[in-house]
Amino acid sequence: MLSDFSFDEMVVFAKKIGLPAFRGEQIFDAIYSGKTLDEVSNLPKALKEIISEQYPKYKIAHKFTSKDGTQKFLIEFFDGNIVECVLMKYKYGFTICLSTQVGCRMGCKFCASTLNGLARNLSAGEILGQVLLVNRELGGSRKERKITNVVLMGSGEPLDNYDNVLKFIELITSKKGLNISERNISLSTCGLVDKIYKLADENLNITLTISLHATNDEKRAEIMPIANKYKISEILDACKYYYDKTGRKIYFEYTLIKGVNDSDEDALNLSKLLKGFLCHVNVIPLNKVKERNLEGTSRLFAYQFVEKLKEKNVSATVRRTMGEDIGGACGQLRARYLK
Ligand code: SAH
């Protein structure tokens, strides 16, 4: 698909089909404007016919706006598969939360994305497409980027779709593309240790976020099957390596599940685990997924949990929940839509 191409690759593509280089730039612009081929006015009809097969066919299938201004989009791809992405407005600009796979095969017990397993990986151009479509909704284009920050925290496990995610990062940070700074990109993973090492060696300045959610391996394995493969100690070693290589502070996500991981002892153990680590913990009460038998902890309790971490000198905050009224956590909206 043509949105998988970098600017230079697009020019090469244009030449290959016998076109002058400026046509490559026009096609690139068209894709980055988020327009359908029909909506593009500066390409000859004959040329449109030649590229129509490879021109991206993704579109916004539905849009939901929350009372707090958060917007959720269901993006539909050429094969009818659907993912969700979320747009959040902050003081400094817009952050978009992207999906990297249709579904997920990690099997976390509290997560809606994984209810039906993995359907397929998204290509780099499909991950990018979510940004291009929403950027257009905001009135943006290639040269006028409305979105400032990207978090890979939607459906899917980004490190389970490693090559496409890396290519996506290359595309979105390209000066010829949307030119989003690596520092404004966060990648969240349930902890695929071998891939964390690999990512550290790419020399990217992106922020690594680890979904930890438990303080010992047994408890973690109860809610996250990946814990059967990698120990918490191995994840933390990989994080140290990532920090040494990039100098980037590591973020940990800790979702509070009532009676599972939210005791005083859990807070104490978490502080012990992270002692001396340049990191920050985002605590978030579980967003209840109705298909799952797990309950969230109250926000008040979450604040108390954070206080316990702070007492032990661990930097932590309760993460703002946004868009709860429109299907809060990852995969919930799609799960509802599929019914
Ligand atoms: N696979 C990646 C990224 C997607 S999930 C990962 O595991 O990090 C993004 C974050 O939302 C993760 O921290 C995940 O554990 C969390 N999450 C998933 N379902 C949730 C729910 N129902 N309530 C609160 N957080 C949830």
Side-chain angles (χ1 to χ4, degrees):
M1 194 184 44
L2 291 176
S3 60
D4 289 320
F5 288 174
S6 67
F7 184 88
D8 291 345
E9 286 164 349
M10 194 69 80
V11 170
V12 170
F13 165 80
K15 284 186 185 151
K16 230 192 242 165
I17 58 171
L19 300 170
F22 81 93
R23 289 291 186 207
E25 176 155 10
Q26 283 178 325
I27 299 169
F28 197 75
D29 257 334
I31 290 169
Y32 277 71
S33 70
K35 288 182 181 164
T36 63
L37 204 47
D38 281 345
E39 292 169 318
V40 178
S41 56
N42 62 354
L43 294 175
K45 201 160 165 255
L47 171 54
K48 285 187 183 180
E49 268 162 29
I50 295 170
I51 62 171
S52 74
E53 189 109 318
Q54 286 159 282
Y55 194 88
K57 305 282 184 305
Y58 42 62
K59 61 175 191 225
I60 294 173
H62 277 281
K63 174 175 152 182
F64 305 81
T65 304
S66 161
K67 279 179 252 152
D68 63 24
T70 301
Q71 294 187 313
K72 271 214 171 194
F73 299 89
L74 286 176
I75 309 290
E76 186 176 337
F77 297 103
F78 74 98
D79 58 358
N81 267 308
I82 283 178
V83 299
E84 56 197 78
C85 67
V86 185
L87 183 71
M88 292 157 287
K89 192 172 181 357
Y90 292 98
K91 276 186 231 108
Y92 50 79
F94 284 101
T95 294
I96 190 165
C97 174
L98 302 177
S99 293
T100 53
Q101 296 178 315
V102 182
C104 182
R105 60 182 183 134
M106 295 298 124
C108 298
K109 294 279 189 289
F110 46 82
C111 182
S113 301
T114 200
L115 286 169
N116 300 306
L118 176 70
R120 69 169 174 89
N121 282 328
L122 293 183
S123 73
E126 288 174 327
I127 303 171
L128 178 69
Q130 298 166 66
V131 187
L132 301 178
L133 291 171
V134 175
N135 191 48
R136 180 189 184 183
E137 280 284 303
L138 295 171
S141 61
R142 167 156 81 105
K143 297 198 171 123
E144 215 187 319
R145 152 177 56 98
K146 300 284 185 188
I147 291 165
T148 47
N149 295 65
V150 169
V151 297
L152 298 171
M153 290 191 187
S155 291
E157 168 49 51
L159 296 185
D160 189 38
N161 185 15
Y162 190 90
D163 292 342
N164 290 331
V165 166
L166 261 275
K167 174 77 184 191
F168 159 73
I169 293 168
E170 180 199 322
L171 293 174
I172 193 122
T173 54
S174 160
K175 292 211 165 44
K176 295 277 176 122
L178 289 190
N179 195 15
I180 289 181
S181 157
E182 286 174 10
R183 292 171 178 279
N184 290 354
I185 300 176
S186 292
L187 182 151
S188 180
T189 176
C190 61
L192 304 188
V193 168
D194 53 339
K195 299 286 171 43
I196 295 174
Y197 281 104
K198 199 169 169 199
L199 187 67
D201 288 334
E202 306 278 357
N203 288 322
L204 294 172
N205 264 315
I206 64 172
T207 300
L208 179 66
T209 301
I210 305 289
S211 299
L212 196 60
H213 306 326
T215 56
N216 67 58
D217 294 317
E218 294 71 39
K219 212 181 253 188
R220 195 163 188 263
E222 280 171 28
I223 49 174
M224 301 175 75
I226 192 68
N228 294 310
K229 188 160 180 201
Y230 298 112
K231 292 198 185 76
I232 292 175
S233 61
E234 292 173 310
I235 296 177
L236 294 180
D237 285 346
C239 288
K240 286 191 182 112
Y241 184 79
Y242 191 88
Y243 175 74
D244 288 341
K245 277 286 202 167
T246 63
R248 307 285 296 160
K249 188 201 281 185
I250 308 286
Y251 284 73
F252 291 94
E253 300 279 320
Y254 195 92
T255 294
L256 289 175
I257 309 172
K258 207 177 194 167
V260 175
N261 62 1
D262 63 347
S263 69
D264 287 358
E265 201 192 342
D266 288 310
L268 186 65
N269 288 341
L270 186 56
S271 69
K272 282 184 189 157
L273 271 182
L274 302 181
K275 199 164 179 260
F277 218 103
L278 184 65
C279 68
H280 181 84
V281 182
N282 279 320
V283 172
I284 176 165
L286 178 83
N287 222 314
K288 189 170 168 50
V289 176
K290 67 173 186 317
E291 292 82 354
R292 304 292 202 193
N293 202 14
L294 296 168
E295 295 285 338
T297 307
S298 72
R299 278 191 86 71
L300 180 66
F301 203 92
Y303 283 107
Q304 289 168 356
F305 194 88
V306 160
E307 284 313 312
K308 282 172 209 143
L309 293 176
K310 284 188 184 160
E311 277 165 23
K312 298 286 174 197
N313 295 319
V314 174
S315 159
T317 40
V318 179
R319 184 176 261 235
R320 273 168 76 190
T321 44
M322 296 171 98
E324 255 174 326
D325 51 329
I326 53 169
C330 14
Q332 289 190 353
L333 201 59
R334 173 173 177 265
R336 251 180 244 171
Y337 184 81
L338 291 179
K339 285 211 173 110

